[in-house]
Amino acid sequence: MKEAIVHPTPELHTTIHEVPIPEPGPDELVIQVIVAGSNPKDWDHLTSINKSLNSGDDIAGIVRSFGSNVVKRKEFRIGDRVAAFHPMMAPHGAFAEYAVAPQHTVFKVPDGISFEEAATIPLVTTTAAISLFRRQYLPAPWSPSSSTAPPIPLIIYGASSSLGTFAIKLARASNIHPIIAISGSSSSHLAPLLDKPKGDVLIDYRIGVEEMKKAVKENLNGLEAHHALDAISSKGTWIPVSQMLSPSTKKETSYLSVVSGANKYDEEAIGKGVEVVYTYCGTVHSGSYRPGMPKQGNVEEVRNDPEFGYLLFRYLSRMLADGRFSGHPFVVVGDGLEGIGKGLNMLKEGKARGNKFVFKVGEE
């Protein structure tokens, strides 16, 4: 089979190699890749460690084979349409004609959902779900907040990004409102997701930091906000977001989720009484953070993230089927595996503009 290897130096590029089709481990599936998704980490992580790798982790395709424990569960069959989150930095990633994923982060793709749409979902949705439901203890879609419960304000900075958008979709499915979505350009896809009667609102960050904080306070209408997600987590974006939250109380801890491991998040300007927690979505596979990562979650709770992943991926299939959830706007980059280098360079140059770049690798 053909596999694309991403090289971060001397400039970002890919090479195509012929390699054997992988064999599944006991808990793994081998998937014929129809569409591979992409994420900033596909080039960013490799650049930071100067390593060449098939770094794709979002898989959408058809089940080719599986291991003995998958056989016992009788959940998947050869030929099933599936999408999967491949363990980051592991062999047999998505940028190949065949890829491998553990069964607990594979979900069945319902009829009517294209492989292109499905390929936008796994990694980033996992990041959003762990942030909201594991690190911040918010109610999950399978046990949503009651319609008679007090409102749960949620601030999402970088709302038009795929992470911000999936966080909004998961919050809606959990009846978490009001959602204060902060974004700039490329936000047209957000309007249908926000429920204005429940207080959801879109705020343009381009009005400036102080005006942005003022607008958030005004739209909270006297409510205290104890939950926020910084979907950008770059150049100090978390500082003003933290200042939008009320300090923790004896009854309510204020959480700010961040998603870049490159920062320490120890600035004195961070809002007082706000707990900053780093989301490393790889915990859904490893059950642990890597040494040296900042602002880690509770060790005992993180150990159970793989179990949470199992539940999340099954429920994603259900929500896709009944229309409560959907993929992200996408752009198909041409030339299959050969186009991955071009797509990752466009991603690096900031050309995604609210879209996910996906690559058509195979045929159904």
Side-chain angles (χ1 to χ4, degrees):
M1 71 167 191
K2 290 181 171 61
E3 179 180 45
I5 300 297
V6 181
H7 305 277
T9 58
E11 64 281 324
L12 182 61
H13 69 286
T14 59
T15 54
I16 308 298
H17 303 264
E18 282 285 345
V19 298
I21 295 175
E23 294 293 329
D27 292 295
E28 294 177 335
L29 290 83
V30 174
I31 301 166
Q32 178 192 353
V33 181
I34 305 301
V35 177
S38 64
N39 298 281
K41 56 143 289 286
D42 296 342
W43 64 267
D44 189 22
H45 285 190
L46 299 188
T47 300
S48 65
I49 61 175
N50 193 24
K51 182 175 182 177
S52 297
L53 186 75
N54 168 0
S55 55
D57 294 319
D58 278 334
I59 305 164
I62 298 169
V63 175
R64 171 190 166 89
S65 61
F66 37 69
S68 57
N69 290 339
V70 184
V71 173
K72 293 176 184 177
R73 297 191 69 91
K74 298 182 180 180
E75 181 178 3
F76 297 103
R77 297 180 179 181
I78 305 300
D80 278 350
R81 303 172 76 245
V82 296
F85 178 13
H86 165 268
M88 296 184 294
M89 306 303 290
H92 312 309
F95 297 156
E97 292 178 320
Y98 294 90
V100 173
Q103 62 176 325
H104 76 283
T105 55
V106 179
F107 67 84
K108 292 184 180 180
V109 177
D111 293 341
I113 303 295
S114 69
F115 285 121
E116 288 83 357
E117 179 180 354
T120 70
I121 294 171
L123 184 150
V124 183
T125 300
T126 300
T127 305
I130 289 177
S131 298
L132 300 182
F133 311 133
R134 296 293 291 167
R135 303 295 171 261
Q136 300 202 29
Y137 311 104
L138 288 165
W142 46 88
S143 184
S145 178
S146 166
S147 59
T148 59
I152 307 174
L154 173 63
I155 299 169
I156 300 176
Y157 183 86
S160 66
S161 68
S162 57
L163 174 56
T165 303
F166 281 130
I168 291 173
K169 292 177 180 180
L170 290 172
R172 278 173 51 97
S174 299
N175 196 31
I176 295 169
H177 300 280
I179 299 168
I180 311 296
I182 303 173
S183 185
S185 59
S186 307
S187 299
S188 59
H189 63 285
L190 295 181
L193 303 178
L194 299 174
D195 192 336
K196 290 185 178 180
K198 293 184 179 180
D200 297 352
V201 65
L202 180 63
I203 295 173
D204 193 327
Y205 71 81
R206 292 173 294 183
I207 60 178
V209 171
E210 294 306 316
E211 287 299 313
M212 177 178 66
K213 291 193 291 184
K214 181 180 177 182
V216 169
K217 184 176 181 178
E218 289 176 351
N219 282 281
L220 284 171
N221 291 313
L223 293 171
E224 289 189 350
H226 293 282
H227 300 276
L229 166 64
D230 180 359
I232 306 301
S233 301
S234 176
K235 299 179 180 178
T237 50
W238 56 90
I239 295 174
V241 178
S242 72
Q243 296 166 352
M244 300 172 193
L245 295 173
S246 295
S248 298
T249 67
K250 291 182 179 180
K251 293 183 178 180
E252 189 90 42
T253 301
S254 289
Y255 294 104
L256 168 58
S257 289
V258 292
V259 293
S260 172
N263 310 301
K264 294 182 178 180
Y265 307 105
D266 58 0
E267 293 86 353
E268 290 186 6
I270 289 174
K272 302 301 181 185
V274 174
E275 183 172 336
V276 179
V277 185
Y278 168 54
T279 300
Y280 168 54
C281 63
T283 59
V284 79
H285 293 125
S286 64
S288 63
Y289 284 82
R290 291 178 178 173
M293 285 183 166
K295 301 296 182 180
Q296 300 184 16
N298 179 277
V299 172
E300 291 292 331
E301 293 174 358
V302 171
R303 190 174 293 136
N304 289 319
D305 282 357
E307 287 296 305
F308 170 80
Y310 176 88
L311 180 56
L312 171 67
F313 272 65
R314 272 97 202 125
Y315 211 76
L316 283 175
S317 184
R318 181 173 181 172
M319 291 195 295
L320 285 166
D322 65 26
R324 281 181 290 161
F325 199 74
S326 61
H328 195 72
F330 60 84
V331 172
V332 179
V333 180
D335 299 324
L337 293 176
E338 298 285 351
I340 289 172
K342 174 184 176 182
L344 294 185
N345 272 291
M346 290 194 298
L347 193 59
K348 182 178 181 180
E349 294 163 6
K351 295 181 178 179
R353 299 188 181 281
N355 294 296
K356 293 273 282 182
F357 291 137
V358 301
F359 310 96
K360 186 71 178 292
V361 176
E363 298 294 333
E364 298 186 46

